[in-house]
Amino acid sequence: MQRNASTLYPILLVHGLFGFDQIGSFGLFHDIKQALRTCGARVFIPHLSVTHSNEARGDQLLAQIERVLEGTGAQKVNLIGYSQGALAARYAAAVAPQVVASVTSVSGPNQGSELADFLHRALIPGHLAEQTAEEVATLFADFLSLLSGSPKLPQNAVAALNAITTEEVCAFNRKYPQGLPKTWGGKGRELVNGVRYYSWSGTLQGNIGDEGINPLDPLNTMCRAFSRYFNTEAEQNDGMVGRFSSHLGTVIRSDYPLDHLDVINQLSGRVRRGIDPVELYVRHAERLRDVGL
């Protein structure tokens, strides 16, 4: 039976830190973009700085939203932001709600990331370690942009790291509170200023065998190693973002058996038991279509 995900408004998949659209045959949103298009959606992936602040990336996103509107004749767009991309999407919707129909946060650090807090403490501002890390991260960001054929955009690795710490996200949230829960671990308002807000995310499971993961998956191993730096949300995180930190608007689910990279269908996301990351996006596009978006 043919699925129908033909949303009224185009969908923009907004990447996060060190994100891109395509490098050769490898896409960051592996199979997701094509699956949505096959089901009738108009899908675009905007080019944003690989590393930069939420506001800088949000302004870049706004400029590309305007291009999509001009090219398609649509009045609004649906934004699906992955990881830091959720914060850029939130910024765009807060600043220009008239051109955004919905914001969906996928594993977004909407209350900050405890992993980012640890890295921020480890890199003492002004010291050699921070300078070296910034230089390496900037070179890597430029390299990714070159490989993906993206337009050259400004990079700022330190600003990107700071932007997802709990302290900086708290300041960001004071300026752009739309869709945020009033209580820790709760849900936020779905409809704010004409924009609908949704979120979903995953958590690392205790028994790796129960997840159906390929044990040799280096990305899951990395997420499990990062998970050790969580305190507030120990055992309730995906390796990079805490479960309750990800909540925004209507929380579809925040404990899918998916790590931070599974949610964009990388490596082990394709061999999970009982969960198909691509299906989550198709189902959500159908959800948006059903409410007239």
Side-chain angles (χ1 to χ4, degrees):
M1 177 176 161
Q2 180 64 40
R3 306 287 293 274
N4 185 355
S6 55
T7 55
L8 176 61
Y9 303 115
I11 293 173
L12 272 65
L13 299 173
V14 187
H15 67 74
L17 186 64
F18 293 117
F20 53 88
D21 178 3
Q22 196 89 12
I23 293 179
S25 61
F26 177 77
L28 183 72
F29 292 95
H30 187 81
D31 292 339
I32 295 167
K33 178 172 67 173
Q34 187 55 48
L36 288 170
R37 286 180 172 175
T38 298
C39 294
R42 292 171 291 173
V43 185
F44 302 88
I45 298 182
H47 297 298
L48 307 183
S49 291
V50 175
T51 61
H52 220 304
S53 69
N54 301 320
E55 288 87 348
R57 299 178 81 246
D59 284 332
Q60 294 168 3
L61 177 58
L62 283 169
Q64 296 202 43
I65 288 172
E66 289 300 323
R67 295 191 188 98
V68 170
L69 297 183
E70 290 173 6
T72 62
Q75 299 300 308
K76 298 182 178 183
V77 296
N78 292 302
L79 301 176
I80 301 181
Y82 162 64
S83 196
Q84 192 194 3
L87 300 177
R90 287 177 50 199
Y91 171 86
V95 172
Q98 71 278 6
V99 296
V100 178
S102 70
V103 169
T104 302
S105 166
V106 179
S107 299
N110 293 306
Q111 300 291 344
S113 167
E114 291 185 77
L115 176 63
D117 292 344
F118 170 79
L119 294 173
H120 180 72
R121 289 192 299 268
L123 299 175
I124 302 172
H127 284 62
L128 180 61
E130 184 194 48
Q131 295 168 5
T132 301
E134 181 177 15
E135 290 174 4
V136 171
T138 299
L139 286 171
F140 182 59
D142 288 339
F143 181 61
L144 286 176
S145 296
L146 178 64
L147 289 180
S148 64
S150 302
K152 189 170 178 58
L153 294 167
Q155 310 293 345
N156 191 325
V158 171
L161 175 60
N162 291 342
I164 54 177
T165 61
T166 53
E167 181 179 0
E168 288 298 318
V169 174
C170 182
F172 178 86
N173 287 345
R174 285 195 292 270
K175 292 187 285 185
Y176 315 109
Q178 293 85 347
L180 289 171
K182 297 291 186 182
T183 58
W184 179 254
K187 297 182 179 181
R189 289 175 58 195
E190 179 175 311
L191 185 62
V192 184
N193 296 335
V195 181
R196 290 189 181 273
Y197 289 85
Y198 304 89
S199 62
W200 79 75
S201 59
T203 59
L204 292 165
Q205 306 298 301
N207 187 341
I208 191 169
D210 292 342
E211 296 178 320
I213 303 176
N214 178 350
L216 299 178
D217 173 15
L219 298 181
N220 184 261
T221 300
M222 177 184 69
C223 286
R224 287 183 178 275
F226 288 159
S227 180
R228 295 197 298 264
Y229 299 106
F230 284 74
N231 294 307
T232 301
E233 298 199 78
E235 300 183 3
Q236 289 288 321
N237 63 80
D238 64 9
M240 297 187 189
V241 172
R243 174 185 178 182
F244 298 127
S245 298
S246 74
H247 285 195
L248 182 76
T250 292
V251 181
I252 296 165
R253 183 175 168 183
S254 60
D255 64 344
Y256 285 114
L258 300 168
D259 67 36
H260 195 72
L261 294 160
D262 288 338
V263 293
I264 50 172
N265 202 38
Q266 295 305 320
L267 295 185
S268 60
R270 286 177 275 167
V271 294
R272 289 287 185 176
R273 290 194 185 122
I275 186 72
D276 177 3
V278 176
E279 170 66 16
L280 299 181
Y281 291 83
V282 174
R283 195 183 306 159
H284 188 57
E286 292 174 333
R287 182 181 293 113
L288 295 175
R289 179 184 61 82
D290 289 345
V291 295
L293 303 181

